[in-house]
Amino acid sequence: MTLNIDTPAPARRPGPRRSSGRRATGRGGGGLTRFDLRATPYFLVSPYFLLFTLFGLFPLGYTLWASLHDWELGGDKTFLGIDNYVELIADDGFWNAVVNTVGIFVISTIPQLILALMLANALNKRIRGRLFFRLGILLPLVTSVVAVAVVFTQLYGRDYGMINWFLGFFGVEPIEWQNQSWTAWIAISTMIDWRWTGYNAIILLAAMQTIPKDLYEAASLDGASPRRQFWQITIPMLRPTLVFVVFISTIGGLTLFAEPVMFEGNPTMAGGATGQYQTVAMFIVKEAFRDFDMGYASAAAWMLFALILVGILINYSFTRRIGGNK
Amino acid sequence: MLNHKRHGKLAAIAVTAATALALTSCGSDEPASNAGGGSAAPAEPVTITVHTFGGGENFGYDKAVETWNAAHPNIQVKYQNLTDRFEDVYLPQLLQKLQAGSGTADIVGIDEGAMGLMAQRPQFFTDLGQYGLQDRKSDFPAAKWENGINKDGKLFALGTDIGGMAMCYRKDLFEKAGLPGERDEVSKLWPDWNSFMETGKKFQEKVKDAKFLDGPNTLYNTVLSQEAPKNGNVAYFDKSNQLIIETNPAIKTAFDTVKAYSEAGLTAKLASFTPEWNAAIKKGGFAVMGCPAWMVGVIEGAAGEENKGNWDVAAVPGGAGNWGGSYLAIPSQSKHPKEAAEVLNFLTGKEGHVLAFEEANAFPSSLSGQQDPKVSEKKNAFFNDAPVGKIFGDSTANLLPVFLGEKHAQVKTAAEKVLEGMDKGSIPYAEAWTKFVEAGTKAAG
């Protein structure tokens, strides 16, 4: 089962023919051609790896190095060893940011993926104006994150916001959405979901369309209800795609930044008076560029890296169980 | 299987790398500041770049630079306002460029809040004394002059504008509450803070759909600016840069004042410089706020043309005070410090100050600038022709210097966040002082 997870058989079709043709040319040439044959592929992929080394690996290593120092922006730098990490682990502010990040991730991603799955399933059926709906759910993705956040923040305004105005009809007192963790998390989650639900739905829809129709036909003949077909065929067949979608959502969720920053209104990176919605990414920027403590911020960046790895491992083991009884 | 696993991991690495990149990038997106004159022969004109920050008209140097350039063909000034945000955008970038040793302008603007930080880093700035600017001392109030001296006792920056302090109020809301609307009578309502509180209670009894004050920040800064000079001229840090947030009575008084107004329900629970706060200025969500000279421009911008005449300026309870104001300095990486010093002298001199005041309402910090009739007799049309020149001049006349510690800006931001939380109710009043001290201590550490 695990082996065929991500390579649906039809994708392999064009393989063998092309490679045999290439070998034929190779045999005729001399050493230069052989060199060309061996080196060219590496040469062609090298730009990515050069750029990755420059903008990926180097900063990664540099951040690690910086995290071992007491390094003030525009100030002195002294070697500390792991002191920054020790301090970070004892820092309530950091764990508060972790709790916020995980909290927002949970209340945004779970409903988002369920909704995306339902939308994809609905759009996979024969309905009128299918193309229109398919394009429609992808539309929010085209708007910039900041624009989304600005508009939503206005909707959630305490005094002049539309959501409090609407809730007012039901006798609800104006809510100060930024004031408590829960309300802020909900507000931020809606921004994320509005933008990303359609994106995930489209990916899931694409995966659904690769599921062979004869499976459903056979199931229908055996008398399986549509609901049962969904759980017994669609979900297990979607597993590789679900793993992908969950990974991407985990990374996106744990590095959440723009929405809560815009939600605060001024980029102090504090995430509310008591850090009600300060995420880890905001914590890092605050330490580095508001308090000018580069070493500490670098340590926090590495902790975030570790956090993402843990998050992905947990989610992976979780998604692996989907349809495991097949 | 393998394929997906790698994808996830690579993406994770890439994301962390992006974060790391953000931490280490050197902000060298600026063209070299001396591109025009670095290796040029002396006969060729020298280009001096000036970088500032601030919203709206910011430093107000368009006219001043034009005047200078017309008179000095050999020293041409290029003036650029980089951003409207100081603490979160301009300052981090400036520090990175200073540390990198290139990329700053020949003359840089620095907000008062970061002067303590810069005073601790004499290696980054040119000693202005060697170009004779030490002689300008008598031209500035002590409060302005002292902050331009670094820890080695050298002059590194000269003042541009000064905040001063007044109270801006909504005339229409005052009249609605049955209070006088005319500015001299309003000033008489509150000779001291007790009577200010009484006025607030009277106002709040009559008016239900607006609050007396905006929120914690302007009130806090107003009171602190008056109290600090009474308690050894220090705020968050003593003169040896030790944090005294818990022990300085000036800070406790300012904190207690905010707490009292908040508990009495007189604040609109708005943090300053947020979209909601701007909206309330426009829609009349509150009636009064602490108002340094530069705030006049902020209100005019946020309130918009339709509110012309609704706002007015009265005296501040308790006398003089100052909040904010900026400085100009010459980074030591400048290739033309001598010419830059001449330009700096002009911009911080009487003529530069008066031109900036006319353009951006940046109230001159130099005494000669303040005494110029173009400043002292200035009236502001938006504020019912309030004599802003006289009001702000009076409020800075006897101003005493306040020492700003190295981490003043960080502690101030963290402490005011707690005030905002207390005002909005996310921090209980009983715990607020402890939280306030904690936040300040953490930001200083």
Side-chain angles (χ1 to χ4, degrees), chain B residues 22-84:
Chain B
L23 288 176
T24 50
S25 68
C26 287
S28 52
D29 48 342
E30 286 301 313
S33 56
N34 297 300
S39 55
E44 277 185 45
V46 169
T47 303
I48 298 295
T49 49
V50 181
H51 283 175
T52 61
F53 54 89
E57 298 293 333
N58 56 75
F59 277 54
Y61 282 164
D62 288 337
K63 190 78 204 301
V65 165
E66 212 175 282
T67 312
W68 170 273
N69 283 346
H72 301 81
N74 282 327
I75 306 176
Q76 288 292 300
V77 176
K78 269 178 132 172
Y79 162 51
Q80 201 184 356
N81 190 62
L82 297 184
T83 166
D84 59 345

Side-chain angles (χ1 to χ4, degrees), chain A residues 2-3 5-6 48 52 54-57 59-60 62-63 71-75 91-94 157-160 176 179 240-241 243-244 247-248 251 255 264-268 270 272-274 276 284 288-294 297-298 301 304-305 308-309 312 316, chain B residues 1-5 7-17 19-24 85 87-89 91-92 95-96 99 117 121 123-124 268-270 272-276 279-280 283-285 406-407 410 413 417-418 420-421 424-427 435 442-443 445:
Chain A
T2 37
L3 278 175
I5 246 180
D6 65 332
Y48 168 76
F52 180 70
L54 200 62
F55 296 110
L57 279 182
L60 206 63
Y62 196 72
T63 312
W71 185 346
E72 204 178 334
L73 186 61
D91 187 343
D92 295 342
F94 175 71
R158 181 194 62 187
D159 297 335
Y160 310 107
E176 171 93 50
N179 221 1
T241 315
V243 170
F244 169 77
F247 275 15
I248 294 297
I251 295 165
T255 54
E264 184 162 29
N266 48 4
T268 53
T274 49
Q276 300 96 316
I284 294 170
F289 297 112
R290 301 297 172 267
D291 297 345
F292 307 127
D293 201 343
M294 299 300 274
S298 303
L304 176 60
F305 180 52
I308 291 173
L309 287 185
I312 283 184
Y316 175 63
Chain B
M1 169 85 288
L2 185 76
N3 209 9
H4 273 162
K5 205 168 180 183
H7 192 143
K9 217 177 223 169
L10 271 187
I13 290 170
V15 165
T16 317
T19 318
L21 194 68
L23 288 176
T24 50
R85 298 202 63 91
E87 279 92 352
D88 4 82
V89 180
L91 180 59
L95 278 172
Q96 287 173 59
Q99 181 158 41
L117 180 81
R121 287 159 174 71
Q123 73 273 21
F124 288 151
K269 303 184 191 299
L270 294 164
S272 300
F273 313 112
T274 56
E276 293 267 295
K283 296 179 184 175
E406 183 175 356
K407 296 202 168 181
Q410 289 102 308
T413 308
K417 275 276 165 197
V418 175
E420 291 164 17
K424 288 184 174 180
S426 66
I427 299 171
K435 284 257 165 76
K442 204 168 167 200

Side-chain angles (χ1 to χ4, degrees), chain B residues 37 59 61 65 95 99 102 127 135 149 241-242 260 262 279 315 333 344 348-349 359 372 389 439:
Chain B
F59 277 54
Y61 282 164
V65 165
L95 278 172
Q99 181 158 41
S102 74
D127 170 16
D135 304 342
I149 309 289
N241 251 318
Q242 296 299 306
S262 178
Q333 57 184 260
L344 187 144
T348 59
E359 191 171 314
D372 189 286

